[in-house]
Amino acid sequence: MDYFEGCPACLRAGTPSSVALRYAERPPLGFHTIGDWLSYPQVASLGEGNTPLSSLPRLAESLGLNALYTKNEFANPTGSHKDRMGSMVVQRAIDVGAKTVAVASSGNAGVSVAAYAARAGLKSVVVTTPDISPNWRRAIEMHGGILMATEHSDDRWALIAHHARRGDWYPVTNYKIPPVGSNPFGVDAYRAIALELHLQLGKNPPTDIVVPTARGDLLWGICQGYQDLKDAGLVWAIPKVHAVEPYPRIRGALSGHGMVRDFSGNTEMVSIGGDSVTHQSLHALEMVGGSSVDVSDHDVAADQRIIAREGLYLEHSSVAALTGLRTLIGNMTILSGARIVLVATSHGYKEYVRYVDRLPVSDLPR
């Protein structure tokens, strides 16, 4: 039973909530055994995972930090963290005999699922909206994915729900309103990020991790991964994990304003857009004593240029982690001397540039 609609009892009570995988035992942890901590150690892999860290000492100094790193999830095969989910869900689909996997996506998840389905010989359907970036659209089509567009983003879920309940499509993402997280086998795969950070940073672990967040799949996976490390006796303290959003969704939910709200206007942070919150996001932050902040497109655009000058060209949704970090430092949630990891979920090459900034001749380098 895969529980695409989350916990049945929670659903009947009117509070849809995700379910999580639980393991009876795990082997000792090493880079060669990270897969053994996941539901499927052997998958139709394209080489995802074990993504590198980049140290940003100049930015760290300017922000008063002891250390600042990015966890470069854009180094995954299709350029985003979604490959961790894509590989695991496709393997699960194979295991249960599914022929077609389906995903509601603004871009990154659609490309990933199309690629991994192609690798495994499955069909894929990506339900999106008409304003999807041409770069994402071309990648999905090149992988053989079938693209379908709905007028509103929430309409994508109704289409997937119809075909999932008929057994036509094996769903990768949520299709409920209020939402639950994505396919639990896929969400579980994000735990590996915490395991990798533990091995990469060793005796100098992060004090805080900043995560671009939509409906909390990545957020929950990282928090649960660290909880697993603690339960296994491999760490004694868990870093605080902070969610960054384009709108105050989590803060609103915690204030009693509900799990779905109408936020006017669009955002350039399309990968973390949307007007809903999941219980898994709230649970993840509670698990690690984390917090949430919201950031503006204007500030993110400025930080995109700043982090690009450090050598990292990231999409707006990824840059939001740096902008959120500034807010967390400003409100003293993160103190000077902290050791920070920003999760760089995707590079900027996928974004569709709608305008070109021309550098004045007088400003050209000589």
Side-chain angles (χ1 to χ4, degrees), residues 99-119:
K99 303 299 181 184
T100 302
V101 291
V103 57
S105 173
S106 59
N108 281 324
V111 174
S112 180
V113 169
Y116 281 89
R119 174 72 173 82

Side-chain angles (χ1 to χ4, degrees), residues 275-319:
D275 55 7
S276 54
V277 179
T278 59
H279 283 285
Q280 73 175 357
S281 292
L282 307 185
H283 175 64
L285 295 180
E286 181 181 10
M287 192 189 317
V288 299
S291 64
S292 68
V293 293
D294 54 279
V295 295
S296 71
D297 281 345
H298 177 270
D299 291 342
V300 167
D303 275 333
Q304 186 180 44
R305 187 176 297 274
I306 287 171
I307 201 166
R309 295 299 191 268
E310 299 294 324
L312 296 173
Y313 178 37
L314 306 178
E315 73 171 16
H316 284 83
S317 298
S318 291
V319 177

Side-chain angles (χ1 to χ4, degrees), residues 19-329:
V19 296
L21 306 186
R22 287 291 179 261
Y23 298 86
E25 59 182 358
R26 297 187 183 93
L29 179 61
F31 262 123
H32 61 290
T33 62
I34 284 179
D36 294 330
W37 278 54
L38 302 175
S39 53
Y40 287 99
Q42 302 296 325
V43 297
S45 174
L46 291 168
E48 66 285 343
N50 291 336
T51 54
L53 293 173
S54 289
S55 177
L56 303 174
R58 289 185 299 189
L59 265 179
E61 182 179 6
S62 70
L63 294 170
L65 302 172
N66 180 269
L68 177 62
Y69 301 93
T70 55
K71 177 67 166 161
N72 295 336
E73 289 297 290
F74 57 80
N76 282 303
T78 75
S80 87
H81 68 293
K82 297 290 187 178
D83 286 350
R84 297 178 185 268
M85 177 176 74
S87 63
M88 204 64 62
V89 173
V90 165
Q91 187 60 50
R92 177 63 179 174
I94 294 170
D95 197 36
V96 300
K99 303 299 181 184
T100 302
V101 291
V103 57
S105 173
S106 59
N108 281 324
V111 174
S112 180
V113 169
Y116 281 89
R119 174 72 173 82
L122 301 182
K123 296 178 181 178
S124 63
V125 176
V126 180
V127 186
T128 187
T129 54
D131 58 354
I132 184 174
S133 161
N135 299 338
W136 274 316
R137 177 173 182 165
R138 176 169 172 77
I140 291 167
E141 291 175 335
M142 288 294 288
H143 290 309
I146 299 170
L147 269 167
M148 303 180 71
T150 61
E151 184 174 353
H152 190 271
S153 60
D154 288 351
D155 295 336
R156 301 174 302 172
W157 298 352
L159 182 60
I160 289 183
H162 173 72
H163 286 279
R165 289 166 180 163
R166 291 198 338 177
D168 303 331
W169 299 345
Y170 183 83
V172 176
T173 48
N174 163 74
Y175 54 73
K176 294 291 297 179
I177 302 175
V180 297
S182 296
N183 185 295
F185 287 88
V187 175
D188 187 75
Y190 293 131
R191 293 168 44 256
I193 294 175
L195 312 185
E196 291 171 19
L197 287 173
H198 170 64
L199 293 170
Q200 288 171 315
L201 294 173
K203 295 181 179 179
N204 296 298
T207 58
D208 301 82
I209 301 172
V210 187
V211 185
T213 299
R215 295 180 185 90
D217 294 344
L218 177 62
L219 181 73
W220 182 89
I222 293 172
C223 293
Q224 185 60 55
Y226 269 104
Q227 185 62 54
D228 292 341
L229 288 167
K230 186 177 180 181
D231 292 345
L234 295 171
V235 300
W236 64 271
I238 295 176
K240 290 185 177 180
V241 183
H242 310 277
V244 181
E245 308 178 289
Y247 314 115
R249 297 175 299 213
I250 291 175
R251 180 155 48 89
L254 291 173
S255 300
H257 294 296
M259 307 300 284
V260 180
R261 297 175 67 192
D262 181 25
F263 294 99
S264 59
N266 297 319
T267 176
E268 291 297 316
M269 294 172 272
V270 294
S271 294
I272 55 173
D275 55 7
S276 54
V277 179
T278 59
H279 283 285
Q280 73 175 357
S281 292
L282 307 185
H283 175 64
L285 295 180
E286 181 181 10
M287 192 189 317
V288 299
S291 64
S292 68
V293 293
D294 54 279
V295 295
S296 71
D297 281 345
H298 177 270
D299 291 342
V300 167
D303 275 333
Q304 186 180 44
R305 187 176 297 274
I306 287 171
I307 201 166
R309 295 299 191 268
E310 299 294 324
L312 296 173
Y313 178 37
L314 306 178
E315 73 171 16
H316 284 83
S317 298
S318 291
V319 177
L322 173 59
T323 310
L325 172 62
R326 293 187 191 280
T327 302
L328 292 164
I329 293 172

